[in-house]
Amino acid sequence: MEFDYDIVYSDRKTIQITVERDRSVVVRAPRSASAEQIDRAVQSKRFWIYGKLRHPQKYAPEWTSKTEFVSGASILYLGRHYPLEIVDEVFEGVRFDHRFYLSRRSQPQAAALFKVWFKERARQKITPLVEEMAERLGVTYNRIMISDLRYQWGSCTPNDNLNFNWRIIKAPMSVVKYVVVHELAHLIEPNHTPRFWNIVHVQVPRYEKARTWLRTYGHELQDGP
């Protein structure tokens, strides 16, 4: 598990880690603390952080809302909301052409069908992006996996597998690119050191904007299937 975190330096003497209500991890550290010391402190509490992030009482209101799949419903895809239209025509799965279409016969299975559709679109768009950015960074990876990561947008495993939350495809492509570069950068620098963020910055100069988008709108990606 890897976590993004913000560092706030002050005259304090110890390192303190908190998980805010917007799911951001904030590290308050002495000015003398090195990046390596801070990252070690974060990694030593990674399971505590994970527990806080998944705490149902604290976060359920933001992370459990579900879309009602009826005509006129708004479906988020690549950072934009598109209307859903339930039609009498009989066809399999989900259709998309500037709006989403779903057969009335398939309406009871809407959530599952949309999940299949989103996972396939995530695979189609993330795979070539990973290939492109890996070449730019000069790194190699093992496998690309599109998974149901409820509490992470992506991860890089010790076996150099790249795992992406299929829900990230609901975000703008600029945000998807940031997540891809973030995980690829871990193949060069495992920890969130200044070197790591410099690698990300070179490839995604406005990565802070992408991080802010995720913190502000990330809960909307959980709506629906």
Side-chain angles (χ1 to χ4, degrees), residues 66 69 75-78 110-126 145-155 163-171 176 179 220-225:
K66 298 294 181 182
F69 295 98
I75 308 293
L76 183 62
Y77 174 53
L78 290 177
L113 293 174
F114 266 95
K115 181 176 180 178
V116 170
W117 189 89
F118 276 120
K119 289 185 75 171
E120 181 57 29
R121 293 309 177 281
R123 190 176 306 281
Q124 290 177 4
K125 293 187 178 295
I126 290 175
M145 296 178 287
I146 307 298
S147 305
D148 198 356
L149 304 177
R150 177 65 70 171
Y151 302 107
Q152 292 175 285
W153 301 121
S155 66
N163 204 353
F164 297 100
N165 188 331
W166 60 266
R167 295 173 178 83
I168 196 61
I169 203 60
K170 299 181 184 182
V176 177
V179 173
E220 292 188 24
L221 307 189
Q222 300 296 328
D223 280 357

Side-chain angles (χ1 to χ4, degrees), residues 66-154:
K66 298 294 181 182
T67 298
E68 186 178 2
F69 295 98
V70 297
S71 288
S74 180
I75 308 293
L76 183 62
Y77 174 53
L78 290 177
R80 293 183 57 187
H81 287 89
Y82 295 92
L84 170 64
E85 186 173 337
I86 306 298
V87 298
D88 293 328
E89 179 186 355
V90 177
F91 58 86
E92 299 296 326
V94 173
R95 290 181 179 175
F96 177 74
D97 184 11
H98 302 294
R99 66 176 55 214
F100 288 98
Y101 296 93
L102 186 69
S103 174
R104 195 175 308 278
R105 190 179 72 171
S106 302
Q107 200 170 2
Q109 294 82 41
L113 293 174
F114 266 95
K115 181 176 180 178
V116 170
W117 189 89
F118 276 120
K119 289 185 75 171
E120 181 57 29
R121 293 309 177 281
R123 190 176 306 281
Q124 290 177 4
K125 293 187 178 295
I126 290 175
T127 299
L129 184 58
V130 169
E131 293 171 351
E132 175 190 351
M133 301 312 299
E135 184 175 356
R136 289 191 186 183
L137 287 165
V139 297
T140 57
Y141 55 89
N142 186 19
R143 295 175 55 201
I144 301 172
M145 296 178 287
I146 307 298
S147 305
D148 198 356
L149 304 177
R150 177 65 70 171
Y151 302 107
Q152 292 175 285
W153 301 121

Side-chain angles (χ1 to χ4, degrees), residues 6 17 27 31 35-36 41 43 45 51 59 78 82 88 93 106-107 117-118 131 138 153 156 205-206 217:
D6 293 318
I17 303 171
V27 181
R31 300 185 193 280
E36 289 73 19
Q43 296 306 319
K45 298 190 68 174
Y59 297 107
L78 290 177
Y82 295 92
D88 293 328
S106 302
Q107 200 170 2
W117 189 89
F118 276 120
E131 293 171 351
W153 301 121
C156 178
R206 303 184 68 184
Y217 302 107

Side-chain angles (χ1 to χ4, degrees), residues 7-59:
I7 304 173
V8 178
Y9 291 100
S10 68
D11 293 328
R12 62 182 299 113
K13 296 182 179 180
T14 59
I15 295 175
Q16 179 188 41
I17 303 171
T18 58
V19 178
E20 306 298 327
R21 292 198 64 83
D22 64 355
R23 291 182 174 270
S24 62
V25 179
V26 178
V27 181
R28 294 173 174 82
R31 300 185 193 280
S32 59
S34 68
E36 289 73 19
Q37 287 176 315
I38 292 171
D39 198 69
R40 281 198 299 271
V42 171
Q43 296 306 319
S44 71
K45 298 190 68 174
R46 63 197 305 180
F47 292 105
W48 175 85
I49 294 171
Y50 181 70
K52 288 291 185 180
L53 290 175
R54 67 179 298 183
H55 193 288
Q57 185 176 14
K58 187 173 184 179
Y59 297 107

